């Protein structure tokens, strides 16, 4: 009898109170939420960066491997805009998903990869891409951007859906050098990337 009472007392004395358990669960929940938020932001950044980097590399490939006899014409949203209509079209934005065709290049000899599509690695994400309807690469690798409302920087702007993460792929001085800038607090695709961000990326 005495042994049983002693056992009950020692268990009660060494156990956790309800308040302690609630505090422990709250702390674990808070740490989990912060970790999930940080990893989610990191994943979003890596996805929008992947689109911008792959696009800049595709442009650069066209610039360096263009044909000698003709301009290489890159058409934005080729499923709705043709090469004949592109020069009279305005710079505009469209929403794209994984695998959607964003650009095409003509003639076919300008690039081994005739189309630029949203990479498969960004599954589940959407991107609003703002662009001039036509980029033309000369035989010397210079870039001519054509649009009916061209009074803006030579940018392609990529905004990830549901975030404020904006990346700008910009050509500098019409010589076909592509750089990527960033804006992590863009309110829309009409926002810009600061000039200093092109040196940091």
């Amino acid at each position: 009898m005495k042994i049983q009472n002693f056992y009950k007392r020692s268990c009660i004395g060494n156990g956790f109170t309800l308040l302690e358990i609630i505090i422990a669960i709250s702390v674990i929940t808070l740490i989990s939420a912060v970790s999930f938020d940080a990893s989610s932001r990191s994943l979003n950044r890596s996805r929008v960066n992947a689109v911008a980097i792959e696009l800049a590399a595709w442009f650069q490939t066209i610039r360096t491997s263009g044909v000698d006899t003709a301009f290489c014409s890159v058409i934005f949203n080729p499923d709705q805009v043709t090469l004949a209509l592109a020069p009279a079209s305005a710079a505009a934005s469209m929403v794209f998903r994984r695998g959607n065709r964003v650009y095409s290049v003509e003639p076919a000899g300008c690039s081994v990869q005739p189309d630029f599509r949203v990479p498969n690695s960004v599954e589940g994400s959407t991107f609003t891409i703002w662009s001039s309807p036509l980029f033309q690469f000369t035989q010397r690798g210079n870039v001519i951007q054509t649009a009916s409302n061209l009074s803006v920087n030579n940018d392609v702007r990529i905004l990830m859906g549901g975030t404020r993460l904006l990346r700008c792929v910009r050509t500098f001085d019409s010589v076909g050098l592509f750089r990527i800038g960033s804006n992590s607090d863009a309110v829309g695709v009409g926002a810009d990337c600061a000039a200093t961000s092109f040196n940091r990326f």
Side-chain angles (χ1 to χ4, degrees):
M1 190 74 170
K2 290 182 180 178
I3 295 173
Q4 189 177 5
N5 288 339
F6 174 77
Y7 176 74
K8 284 182 180 178
R9 268 188 254 117
S10 63
C11 285
I12 292 169
N14 292 334
F16 295 104
T17 65
L18 180 61
L19 181 60
E20 290 171 332
I21 292 172
I22 290 172
I23 290 172
I25 291 172
S26 300
V27 169
I28 291 169
T29 303
L30 181 63
I31 291 170
S32 298
V34 169
S35 299
F36 177 77
D37 186 52
S39 64
S40 178
R41 279 191 310 234
S42 177
L43 179 62
N44 289 340
R45 277 195 303 271
S46 68
R47 286 180 172 178
V48 72
N49 288 345
V51 176
I53 290 168
E54 289 193 30
L55 177 59
W58 187 72
F59 277 150
Q60 194 64 30
T61 300
I62 294 169
R63 175 183 172 267
T64 56
S65 63
V67 294
D68 294 332
T69 57
F71 282 10
C72 291
S73 299
V74 174
I75 304 141
F76 177 60
N77 191 23
D79 293 334
Q80 296 182 13
V81 178
T82 64
L83 180 57
L85 295 176
S89 300
S93 62
M94 288 287 298
V95 177
F96 296 93
R97 291 174 174 77
R98 179 184 72 155
N100 287 165
R101 189 165 69 144
V102 183
Y103 292 96
S104 66
V105 62
E106 295 181 18
C110 290
S111 176
V112 176
Q113 183 182 345
D115 298 317
F116 175 78
R117 296 177 182 271
V118 176
N120 287 330
S121 60
V122 299
E123 182 176 2
S125 303
T126 60
F127 300 89
T128 301
I129 299 178
W130 181 96
S131 176
S132 290
L134 180 66
F135 293 88
Q136 290 185 306
F137 294 79
T138 68
Q139 293 91 333
R140 294 184 177 183
N142 295 341
V143 181
I144 302 166
Q145 193 175 183
T146 307
S148 63
N149 62 341
L150 187 61
S151 58
V152 294
N153 290 324
N154 295 344
D155 281 355
V156 174
R157 298 178 191 157
I158 304 163
L159 180 69
M160 184 172 181
T163 73
R164 291 186 164 208
L165 299 174
L166 179 74
R167 297 296 179 262
C168 303
V169 179
R170 182 175 294 176
T171 60
F172 281 81
D173 302 323
S174 300
V175 294
L177 297 177
F178 291 93
R179 293 184 184 166
I180 300 171
S182 64
N183 182 342
S184 295
D185 196 27
V187 292
V189 77
D192 200 2
C193 298
T196 53
S197 71
F198 289 90
N199 299 326
R200 291 197 307 265
F201 197 88

